[in-house]
Amino acid sequence: MAKNDVVTDRLTAVLRPVRAGNGFEEALEQILRLLRLGLIPAGERLPAERALAERLGISRVTLRDVLKVLTDQGLVESRRGRYGGTFVLSRPEARGEAELRRRVGTVDVTDTLHFREVLDVGAAGLCASNGLTDDGAIRLRSALLATNEAPLGEYRRRDTLLHLTLTELSGSPTLAVHYAAVRADLNDLLDCIPLLVRNLEHSQHQHTALIEAVLDKDADGARDVMREHCEGTAALLRGFLS
């Protein structure tokens, strides 16, 4: 599968036709989720207006209103010319206990962590039970390698992409859609706490064991490793909230 096809498949889990009546609001929600997940990294371009409007099922006028809000918020910028378009800007860092507690007030942390664990564990089990195609195995190994090689500031984005890849390969588009949503909420919380090198090293050991279990079709092992991995993230967040 070509790289562009992989990106297109991944966007399908986030960008879907909106319901009539709330086109602007729902389109804004979906594109914000896309940015929170880091599916299109800073410096890269959003899909062309026509393609994006068609994917969301809205008019280009409505889409431009959405993009204006994102521009006003400093999340994207419009560039003219032959290689122009709407480009993603770096998100300002939002670190610290005060910001974490503010964001906690907008999300049910316990529910988010539980739902994330159910979906992640389920995806790992499905991938291992059903087995992966050669292309799927290559995608999963590539996502793991990308986390291993990630600079510190890129780690969380590539970690997100690894987990999204696993859910996409599970064979359940519905699972992938729900995971993208809950992961965006989780990332809003994780972005407020520091990156701890020892924690990331432990996380990478778990990632490696997880992928090995999936590729060995060891469903119980894959579920066990993923459950432990999710519990580690939950413990880290609870530590900063206590």
Side-chain angles (χ1 to χ4, degrees):
M1 182 181 291
K3 179 180 178 181
N4 287 345
D5 293 334
V6 172
V7 172
T8 299
D9 286 349
R10 185 160 288 144
L11 296 188
T12 300
V14 181
L15 301 179
R16 311 177 77 189
V18 303
R19 293 169 294 182
N22 292 313
F24 170 81
E25 292 81 2
E26 291 191 16
L28 178 60
E29 177 188 23
Q30 290 190 38
I31 297 178
L32 279 170
R33 181 176 298 158
L34 181 77
L35 300 180
R36 288 157 65 201
L37 288 168
L39 296 186
I40 299 180
E44 294 195 12
R45 184 170 47 190
L46 290 177
E49 276 191 12
R50 182 185 299 277
L52 194 52
E54 289 177 355
R55 183 184 285 271
L56 292 167
I58 58 176
S59 69
R60 293 179 73 175
V61 171
T62 298
L63 176 62
R64 285 169 185 158
D65 287 340
V66 169
L67 295 178
K68 183 179 185 304
V69 171
L70 298 175
T71 300
D72 291 344
Q73 293 297 310
L75 299 174
V76 301
E77 69 174 5
S78 178
R79 301 177 191 171
R80 299 185 180 278
R82 181 177 179 183
Y83 300 105
T86 302
F87 289 79
V88 177
L89 298 177
S90 298
R91 295 180 67 193
E93 289 191 1
R95 300 284 172 85
E97 182 180 338
E99 178 62 16
L100 176 59
R101 293 188 181 281
R102 187 191 71 78
R103 293 189 180 187
V104 163
T106 68
V107 63
D108 186 329
V109 177
T110 300
D111 183 60
T112 297
L113 291 171
H114 284 169
F115 193 38
R116 178 266 176 116
E117 180 177 331
V118 167
L119 297 179
D120 254 331
V121 171
L126 284 171
C127 285
S129 297
N130 298 335
L132 300 179
T133 63
D134 290 344
D135 180 68
I138 290 171
R139 284 183 59 193
L140 200 54
R141 288 194 183 97
S142 296
L144 175 63
L145 181 61
T147 59
N148 282 329
E149 297 178 343
L152 196 60
E154 265 281 287
Y155 183 82
R156 285 214 176 108
R157 190 181 77 83
R158 296 191 190 182
D159 172 67
T160 297
L161 296 180
L162 172 61
H163 284 264
L164 284 171
T165 298
L166 196 68
T167 61
E168 290 159 9
L169 295 173
S170 71
S172 172
T174 302
L175 189 157
V177 167
H178 285 294
Y179 185 77
V182 76
R183 182 67 193 223
D185 288 339
L186 179 63
N187 281 4
D188 272 352
L189 302 177
L190 291 175
D191 284 346
C192 296
I193 65 177
L195 289 159
L196 307 175
V197 173
R198 183 165 181 176
N199 167 251
L200 299 188
E201 290 173 348
H202 182 225
S203 179
Q204 279 308 104
H205 286 308
Q206 291 176 328
H207 282 159
T208 300
L210 169 67
I211 302 313
E212 288 177 354
V214 168
L215 296 178
D216 288 342
K217 299 185 179 180
D218 178 5
D220 288 339
R223 284 189 288 262
D224 287 344
V225 174
M226 181 64 90
R227 187 174 293 108
E228 181 180 288
H229 183 61
C230 292
E231 288 171 352
T233 301
L236 193 65
L237 272 175
R238 285 195 298 268
F240 279 94
L241 288 170
S242 62

